[in-house]
Amino acid sequence: MKRSSAVVRRVVLAAVSVALAAGCTAQAAGPVSGSATPSGSASAKPSASASGSASPSASPSASESGSATPEASPTADGKAPSSSPSFPTADPSDSASAGTPGSPVLMKDGDENEQVRELQARLRQLKHFDRAPTGFYGSMTARSVKSFQEKQGLAGTGSVDGTTWQRLLGASRKPTADELKPSTTNALDAPAPACMTGRVLCISKESRTLAWMIDGKVVSSMDVRFGSENTPTREGTFSVGWKAREWTSTIYHTPMPYAMFFSGGQAVHYSSDFAARGYAGASHGCVNVRDRAKLAALFDQVKVGDKVVVHW
């Protein structure tokens, strides 16, 4: 009888041990499927899901995709799968304290989409951003946003929350297609006085742009580069002496398509080197253009005798 009781006790203890082992395994798997653990993702903010929800009622066991359903199973590295929203996510812990507590972040460093492009275009209208919109939110955009926020009396966080966005919408207008994707990398410089009358190729060394102007109005514009210190592009007021759709330099033996000569051997022309290397190179004194299609259209409009102004 004693031996029988001992056997029963051993069977019961074995069963309890198995049950306890199974319980620990299930508990350990819980955090991996959703909650942030020291060995999980860098984010330790269980109250916000990657789907953009900023609800304080979100439980720590919610998965990063915003759903606690069995489909959100851990990946091979032990992390929960994250969603790929088309717009920046809203995280209350990233909110900019700009007078609206809990206002979610709409755009921040590292984002890349068309909303960022619009942001940059609007900031450029207000002189807070001096480059062509790229759609990528980097350090330059963050500094521009901070500058706008401080001017508006908001906290200079460098990230765009709801309050900052609404202020920007109110202070700017809807960007045009050319403002969103401008024809030049740099903003056009203020034209020299000599550019304000007649038909003029108004070329600024300061902004490195060429503006085709008629009676003071810009018809088209494009990026340009100039000669080096050893072969500088001459400054002053000139006129187009002659044109050549196809031309090869008799000195340097390089192609000069759509050449419009204005000062001796110096001309406005297309440069494949400029198109490939950008401002890393320089011309031998000519005004290089890298947009072949735009220059081809301009070539057909410019007439011999039209004015050329090269200025700072």
Side-chain angles (χ1 to χ4, degrees):
M1 197 58 188
K2 291 181 179 179
R3 183 177 180 181
S4 179
S5 298
V7 171
V8 171
R9 283 197 298 272
R10 283 198 296 270
V11 172
V12 171
L13 289 173
V16 171
S17 298
V18 172
L20 287 174
C24 289
T25 301
Q27 189 174 7
V32 177
S33 66
S35 64
T37 65
S39 62
S41 65
S43 173
K45 304 161 187 171
S47 61
S49 70
S51 63
S53 172
S55 171
S57 62
S59 66
S61 62
S63 71
E64 289 182 5
S65 63
S67 171
T69 59
E71 286 74 14
S73 58
T75 56
D77 60 1
K79 298 179 183 179
S82 58
S83 60
S84 300
S86 56
F87 294 100
T89 59
D91 189 332
S93 62
D94 288 335
S95 297
S97 55
T100 306
S103 181
V105 166
L106 304 178
M107 289 168 274
K108 62 185 183 301
D109 192 11
D111 288 338
E112 185 172 13
N113 53 53
E114 290 306 302
Q115 190 178 21
V116 172
R117 186 183 297 276
E118 181 180 349
L119 166 72
Q120 293 167 333
R122 287 178 179 272
L123 288 170
R124 193 178 188 187
Q125 289 176 11
L126 303 175
K127 310 300 182 184
H128 287 284
F129 191 75
D130 62 357
R131 294 290 186 273
T134 62
F136 177 75
Y137 202 122
S139 58
M140 289 183 60
T141 304
R143 287 195 296 270
S144 299
V145 168
K146 183 177 180 180
S147 172
F148 172 77
Q149 289 171 326
E150 291 175 345
K151 187 171 182 180
Q152 291 287 317
L154 307 175
T157 63
S159 296
V160 179
D161 68 343
T163 301
T164 300
W165 183 240
Q166 290 303 317
R167 290 284 186 91
L168 183 60
L169 291 179
S172 59
R173 54 177 170 72
K174 183 177 179 180
T176 64
D178 189 60
E179 286 176 324
L180 290 170
K181 297 182 179 179
S183 53
T184 58
T185 299
N186 302 316
L188 289 175
D189 194 9
C195 297
M196 299 307 293
T197 58
R199 298 162 56 87
V200 190
L201 292 174
C202 190
I203 302 167
S204 169
K205 286 189 171 182
E206 179 71 23
S207 63
R208 298 187 293 190
T209 56
L210 180 156
W212 169 233
M213 302 179 65
I214 298 178
D215 296 330
K217 295 183 179 180
V218 176
V219 178
S220 63
S221 59
M222 55 204 73
D223 294 329
V224 294
R225 74 175 183 183
F226 306 97
S228 64
E229 291 182 0
N230 297 324
T231 56
T233 302
R234 288 184 281 275
E235 299 156 24
T237 299
F238 312 91
S239 62
V240 177
W242 59 288
K243 300 166 52 181
R245 190 176 299 275
E246 296 292 338
W247 185 257
T248 299
S249 171
T250 57
I251 300 175
Y252 302 106
H253 309 291
T254 54
M256 297 170 57
Y258 303 105
M260 294 176 280
F261 290 87
F262 61 88
S263 178
Q266 294 191 353
V268 175
H269 69 84
Y270 169 73
S271 168
S272 58
D273 182 74
F274 184 24
R277 299 172 58 203
Y279 293 106
S283 74
H284 291 102
C286 288
V287 178
N288 289 166
V289 178
R290 61 179 166 191
D291 191 324
R292 188 183 185 111
K294 289 186 72 68
L295 182 60
L298 176 63
F299 183 88
D300 291 335
Q301 298 175 50
V302 174
K303 301 176 181 178
V304 172
D306 284 345
K307 192 165 27 176
V308 178
V309 178
V310 182
H311 70 98
W312 279 99

